Amino acid sequence: MDRVTLTRPDDWHVHLRDGASLASVVGHSAAWSGRILAMPNLKPPVTTVAMAQAYHARIRAALPEGASCTPLLSLYLTEETSVEEVWAAHQAGWVVAFKYYPMGATTHSEAGVRHLARCQPVLQAMAECGLPLQVHGEVTDPGVDVFAREARFIERELAPLLERLPELRVVFEHITTAEAVAFVRQAGAGVGATITPQHLLYNRNALFQGGIRPHYYCLPVLKKERHRQVLLEAVAEGHPRFFLGTDSAPHGRSTKEAACGCAGIYSAPLALPLYAEAFESVQALAKLEGFASHYGADFYRVPRNKDQITLVRHPWTVPDSYPYGDSVVVPLRAGERMEWQIESDTISQGS
Ligand code: DOR
Ligand code: ZN
């Protein structure tokens, strides 16, 4: 198969940043996504509908001329989030979730939640109005091995949370382990998960290939091959509660190539070709459309996109970097060959 045409995908987890950085990256996502769910971990975080409204306007203003992509937002959950804010978010329509960052778990999570129990009334309101909670599923306990943080999170936080509030709709974000796949499989229809291209294509060896490789560092960190195989099995099977969320997370080159480099992998310009490569590696290209374009929309209860996009087998070399504000961002696969490419001029008309 040298061509794959699919319903236009949505990216249910992407970091667009702000200001000049936003302007540099948003077009890369808009080029192939119908909807882009922008993460709220700005500085300061997007914690209210009023802040989200302003950010939404900045994203729309930064979209390239003629882009038909719809930005959606998620609000940053804090221990101060009010029940009123949940209902206001629900009313807004384009706020489609709250994001739970355990305090200290990742980039700009200082304002995150220390004790999720303190958010119980807010979580209850989310369950009532059907607004999903997106979770960054890692414990922050420094005594827990960095590679075990997702598995411990399931036992210590996620399973108890769903026991307390079984009606809460949850998206387990950027899952990386066999334990997370098993958890989502046994959970009900209200629990879904996003999977990134890097966690389908790489194991943790990529971080140390001939030296330390900062551009393969993200959180949750890449895991062992055994886990990658389980993620691939879940998507190859076409399980409807696993869907596309790139977690594309740009950082200027100097903040990655540093003594203490930032977590985040930039994949937005090539994410769909990367997913195609991953699916093809397990003879599952036919399942790409469900994962990329159907299951996320179904989970978020929005209509699937009407138009289509075509991927062609057409080898190309990924640029060494892309402009990023007054810096540059190094993408995943920089300088390397890619097998698949988006045949952008075949995009059909539609809403
Ligand atoms: O690698 C990551 N980068 N993981 C996250 O959870 C946040 C993200 C970012 O914002 O850079
Ligand atoms: Zn993220």
Side-chain angles (χ1 to χ4, degrees), residues 13 15 17 39 41 99 101 105-108 136 138 174 198 217-220 247-251 262-265:
H13 184 134
H15 296 269
R17 314 304 191 203
M39 291 301 109
N41 61 333
K99 177 76 184 278
Y101 289 102
T106 188
T107 309
H108 299 166
H136 181 108
E138 291 191 287
H174 39 55
Q198 63 265 25
Y217 176 56
C218 64
L219 287 170
D247 198 20
S248 178
H251 290 274
C262 295
I265 290 180

Side-chain angles (χ1 to χ4, degrees), residues 198-221:
Q198 63 265 25
H199 293 106
L200 289 175
L201 285 168
Y202 297 100
N203 63 38
R204 65 190 194 182
N205 285 356
L207 281 158
F208 308 105
Q209 198 82 53
I212 188 116
R213 299 276 190 163
H215 299 292
Y216 287 89
Y217 176 56
C218 64
L219 287 170
V221 72

